[in-house]
């Protein structure tokens, strides 16, 4: 089995904006550092939670560099770097790694065509940085089929579907890192041997997220209300929770 880049809970980091809608790199990086101090083991920049659809390549690179500079070295920074075709993805991946990303999270295109060729291009662009595939069809590109996993040049997978059955299938056919993206499956993921979780709710509830992965059933139950709130009103509900806890900006580009 390939050793995972990290084990435990990572945060799918919100991107903080000022009142004019500009990216606030300093505030976003400070929030990432605060969460690391509270036990989060890795940070995903520019994922779906980070409103990646609204970020330019330059903004994504700037956020990656700012967050990497704010975190202690043992805490990996993963940058979301997907594309509608393999050339676009490769360019964004190379820029992310150049800005300091320790790994990249790459969703397939909505119409993936040759999935192996797409991830081959991603792996070449990433160089020595691990590539994690991202399965969240309809929200972030297309599908990463379970049977395809063993043949893809990837170091791990984030699966945000919230399907316990699919999680078990992934662990059955594959010996690389699987991370859940649904806060409803955190305790289950820890219990069945997943490498960890990459969670939006960890922006506001890091301690509960960490405890749930470690097997705390009460902590898992406590994540239900924020899980529902973040899903029903995205990203407003999540940003409101983060603002209530830490006093951060509620501004969002996705309304």
């Amino acid at each position: 089995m390939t050793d995972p880049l990290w084990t435990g809970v990572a945060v799918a980091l919100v991107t903080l904006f000022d009142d004019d809608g500009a990216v606030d790199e300093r505030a976003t990086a400070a929030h990432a550092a605060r969460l690391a101090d509270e036990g989060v083991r890795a940070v995903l920049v520019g994922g779906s939670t980070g409103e990646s659809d609204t970020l330019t390549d330059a903004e994504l690179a700037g956020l990656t560099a700012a967050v990497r500079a704010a975190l202690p070295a043992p805490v990996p920074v993963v940058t979301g770097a997907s594309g509608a075709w393999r050339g676009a993805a490769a360019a964004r991946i190379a820029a992310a790694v150049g800005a300091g990303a320790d790994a990249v999270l790459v969703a397939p295109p909505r119409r993936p065509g040759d999935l192996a060729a797409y991830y081959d291009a991603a792996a070449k662009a990433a160089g020595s940085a691990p590539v994690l595939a991202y399965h969240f069809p309809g929200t972030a590109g297309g599908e990463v089929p379970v049977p395809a996993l063993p043949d893809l040049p990837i170091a791990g997978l984030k699966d945000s579907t919230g399907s316990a059955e699919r999680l078990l299938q992934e662990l059955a056919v594959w010996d690389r890192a699987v991370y859940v993206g649904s806060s409803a499956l955190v305790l289950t993921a820890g219990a069945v041997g997943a490498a960890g979780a990459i969670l939006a709710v960890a922006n506001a509830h890091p301690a509960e997220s960490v405890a749930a992965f470690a097997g705390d059933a009460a902590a898992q139950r406590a994540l239900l209300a924020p899980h529902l709130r973040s899903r029903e009103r995205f990203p407003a509900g999540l940003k409101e929770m983060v603002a209530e806890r830490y006093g951060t900006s509620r501004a969002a580009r996705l309304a």
Side-chain angles (χ1 to χ4, degrees), residues 6-247:
W6 81 93
T7 57
V9 173
V11 60
L13 193 69
V14 292
T15 300
L16 298 175
F17 302 102
D18 65 22
D19 291 340
D20 295 321
V23 172
D24 190 335
E25 291 181 2
R26 180 177 296 181
T28 304
H31 181 53
R34 175 168 51 225
L35 296 174
D37 287 342
E38 295 192 31
V40 165
R41 300 293 302 275
V43 175
L44 168 63
V45 176
S48 303
T49 300
E51 300 176 68
S52 57
D53 290 350
T54 73
L55 299 175
T56 67
D57 287 0
E59 288 172 333
L60 183 64
L63 279 169
T64 299
V67 172
R68 179 64 279 168
L71 293 174
V75 179
V77 173
V78 184
T79 297
S82 307
W85 70 291
R86 62 192 184 197
R92 183 165 265 205
I93 290 164
V97 173
D102 300 291
V104 288
L105 181 70
V106 183
R110 294 185 188 276
R111 294 179 289 181
D114 188 338
L115 195 64
Y118 178 81
Y119 279 108
D120 281 341
K124 289 176 182 176
S128 61
V131 174
L132 307 180
Y134 186 17
H135 178 74
F136 200 13
T139 298
E143 182 181 6
V144 183
V146 172
L149 290 172
D151 297 323
L152 296 178
I154 54 178
L157 171 75
K158 180 188 180 188
D159 181 350
S160 293
T161 61
S163 169
E165 180 177 324
R166 183 183 156 103
L167 171 62
L168 293 173
Q169 291 173 340
E170 291 160 352
L171 294 171
V173 306
W174 210 37
D175 64 353
R176 281 166 271 175
V178 176
Y179 300 98
V180 298
S182 170
S183 49
L185 277 184
V186 186
L187 186 146
T188 300
V192 300
I198 306 174
L199 304 177
V201 298
N203 281 282
H205 298 277
E208 296 93 329
S209 299
V210 171
F213 186 76
D216 187 330
Q220 176 65 85
R221 291 192 297 270
L223 291 177
L224 177 60
H227 168 79
L228 295 174
R229 184 177 176 187
S230 65
R231 285 183 58 191
E232 291 170 359
R233 299 179 57 244
F234 179 83
L238 177 61
K239 287 199 161 177
E240 287 169 2
M241 286 191 289
V242 181
E244 290 162 7
R245 175 84 185 267
Y246 297 112

